[in-house]
Amino acid sequence: MKLADVRKNAFAMPLNNPAYPPGPYKFHNREFIIVTYRTDPDIVRSLVPEPLEPIGDTVNYEFIRMPDSNGFGDYTETGQVIPVRFRGADGVVQEGGYVHAMFLDDNAPIAGGREIWGFPKKLAKPKISHQSETIVCTLHFGTVLCVSATMGYKHREIDPAPILAGLAKPSFMIKIIPHVDCTPRICELVRYYCKDVTLKGAWTGPAAIELFEHALCDVARLPSRGVVSATHYLTDLTLGLGEVVYDYLKDA
């Protein structure tokens, strides 16, 4: 293979058989169950990286079922998103979410999520099931239960406007790629948006969540101090590609 061919064909690893195709990445019938709970504000401040600033003391614990996604297939994902604000170089302040942790059960979106955007993804076993009148969500890391969340099934339909407004906000994460000598080669704050959102239904209901200690699945680092609210909704959307809003190595 010639040098020019490497430059032309290189998209993702492995060179000759990438783990995922190029985007756009469209999701159909993407199901969200989000339990918002209060936690320790001091711990939140210790985990949210500057230049982001945490908003309050809440965490959104998300379970997401993705049965039909272009390039990534059929999988389930879960994780913690912390409400934050960001002041850009132009002085504009945005509110959004900092993606603190993610766990899922499919190789392609783990590789693509980490390599393209910098999603903090790890392999695990999240599950969403509808058990009679209850939505039951669990996360196992190996055989160990790390999260158990339950919600009443479609107890009350809610106004779609706040859900759409929330989906229009940016999400932030830190993309880290090590150098071959294990020093950081890339360390960037990335922002992305969901696009082409179609909301197919939104509901709320009673909810509960438990987080359990695990050495490598650290969801319990942000302990629950009580559930604030829970939402369940169904969407079609496109996962927008990211942009770098702060370079920790260049801007140091």
Side-chain angles (χ1 to χ4, degrees):
M1 184 182 294
K2 302 295 185 181
L3 294 174
D5 293 327
V6 174
R7 287 190 287 266
K8 178 182 176 181
N9 297 325
F11 161 66
M13 294 180 10
L15 171 63
N16 295 306
N17 189 18
Y20 50 90
Y25 303 100
K26 299 181 179 181
F27 296 80
H28 307 277
N29 296 317
R30 180 168 168 150
E31 182 181 21
F32 291 79
I33 296 93
I34 301 177
V35 179
T36 300
Y37 67 88
R38 297 196 183 282
T39 191
D40 186 322
D42 292 332
I43 298 177
V44 171
R45 285 191 291 270
S46 73
L47 295 177
V48 172
E50 292 182 334
L52 300 176
E53 301 174 4
I55 301 173
D57 62 350
T58 60
V59 176
N60 296 322
Y61 198 97
E62 303 183 351
F63 279 88
I64 310 173
R65 180 79 187 93
M66 285 160 279
D68 182 2
S69 58
N70 293 21
F72 294 147
D74 179 347
Y75 65 104
T76 304
E77 185 170 273
T78 186
Q80 291 162 308
V81 178
I82 301 171
V84 295
R85 65 174 58 92
F86 171 72
R87 184 183 298 275
D90 56 3
V92 175
V93 177
Q94 291 182 302
E95 291 191 358
Y98 170 63
V99 184
H100 168 65
M102 302 186 82
F103 303 90
L104 57 158
D105 56 2
D106 185 4
N107 174 67
I110 290 176
R114 290 171 68 107
E115 292 174 9
I116 298 172
W117 296 271
F119 281 110
K121 296 188 174 189
K122 284 187 173 184
L123 179 66
K125 299 174 184 177
K127 183 178 180 181
I128 299 171
S129 61
H130 297 172
Q131 300 180 14
S132 300
E133 75 277 21
T134 309
I135 304 172
V136 178
C137 303
T138 56
L139 170 63
H140 284 80
F141 198 91
T143 61
V144 179
L145 178 65
C146 295
V147 182
S148 174
T150 53
M151 180 180 177
Y153 185 76
K154 295 185 179 180
H155 274 219
R156 181 167 58 87
E157 197 163 5
I158 55 176
D159 181 3
I163 303 296
L164 289 169
L167 287 168
K169 292 181 178 180
S171 292
F172 300 90
M173 63 211 70
I174 293 186
K175 179 175 182 176
I176 302 171
I177 302 292
H179 211 317
V180 291
D181 63 359
C182 286
T183 59
R185 177 72 175 266
I186 294 173
C187 188
E188 301 167 337
L189 183 64
V190 173
R191 174 176 61 198
Y192 82 94
Y193 295 86
C194 293
K195 301 179 178 180
D196 307 321
V197 176
T198 299
L199 187 63
K200 297 183 171 182
W203 306 270
T204 189
I209 189 168
E210 291 183 277
L211 309 169
F212 304 99
E213 297 280 354
H214 189 290
L216 300 180
C217 179
D218 63 348
V219 290
R221 185 181 296 186
L222 288 163
S224 175
R225 299 288 186 255
V227 171
V228 176
S229 63
T231 54
H232 172 206
Y233 54 91
L234 193 66
T235 65
D236 292 343
L237 59 82
T238 299
L239 190 62
L241 298 179
E243 57 182 326
V244 176
V245 295
Y246 188 84
D247 187 329
Y248 289 89
L249 302 180
K250 177 182 176 183
D251 299 333

